[in-house]
Amino acid sequence: MKRLHVHVAVSDLSQSVGFYSTMFGTEPSVLKADYAKWMLDDPRVNFAISSRGVAAGLDHLGIQVEETGELSEIAGRLKDAGASTFDEAGATCCYAQSDKTWVEDPSGIRWETFRTFGEATIYGGDHSAEMT
């Protein structure tokens, strides 16, 4: 099963955690000094916010999958259609370990397809700008 992923850059993490906790009716499942994530089942979404020095607003959208085959299927469709993608195997980002494929839509909105397989003690890097 797939889950929609939305990542929003915020200017005030604490204030935003309060707002989104109220809106979703629950506290974040992950809370760090610069990052928070809600793994919601209703609606089924992985919603994350961060305050990491980028402009506030939509950072990227994504589709989180549970199986490696699902990730390969989505990435394969994008590549077969001629999309420029950037693959990251074993990436450390957002306090997690994941395999990822990044792509931009025709309007320049970044999309991340990924499968998370572990936690990390650091935020990690964002290599999505390396798309080819």
Side-chain angles (χ1 to χ4, degrees), residues 46-66:
N46 167 343
F47 184 84
I49 60 175
S50 62
S51 58
R52 302 194 47 83
V54 298
L58 179 65
D59 186 87
H60 64 273
L61 299 170
I63 297 174
Q64 181 177 7
V65 300
E66 295 178 359

Side-chain angles (χ1 to χ4, degrees), residues 5-111:
H5 169 60
V6 178
H7 187 127
V8 176
V10 298
S11 55
D12 184 317
L13 191 79
S14 179
Q15 185 178 28
S16 296
V17 165
F19 172 82
Y20 287 114
S21 293
T22 298
M23 186 168 77
F24 297 141
T26 188
E27 296 298 313
S29 55
V30 175
L31 181 59
K32 305 291 183 179
D34 58 353
Y35 177 83
K37 176 174 69 177
W38 291 259
M39 292 290 284
L40 303 170
D41 289 323
D42 184 19
R44 189 163 166 78
V45 64
N46 167 343
F47 184 84
I49 60 175
S50 62
S51 58
R52 302 194 47 83
V54 298
L58 179 65
D59 186 87
H60 64 273
L61 299 170
I63 297 174
Q64 181 177 7
V65 300
E66 295 178 359
E67 304 294 331
T68 301
E70 293 174 303
L71 181 59
S72 298
E73 177 187 339
I74 295 169
R77 283 197 315 259
L78 293 166
K79 291 172 185 179
D80 289 347
S84 294
T85 62
F86 176 71
D87 295 325
E88 290 184 280
T92 298
C93 184
C94 304
Y95 299 96
Q97 293 287 307
S98 304
D99 292 330
K100 305 177 177 206
T101 296
W102 289 92
V103 67
E104 286 185 0
D105 78 357
S107 298
I109 296 173
R110 297 181 316 139
W111 278 85

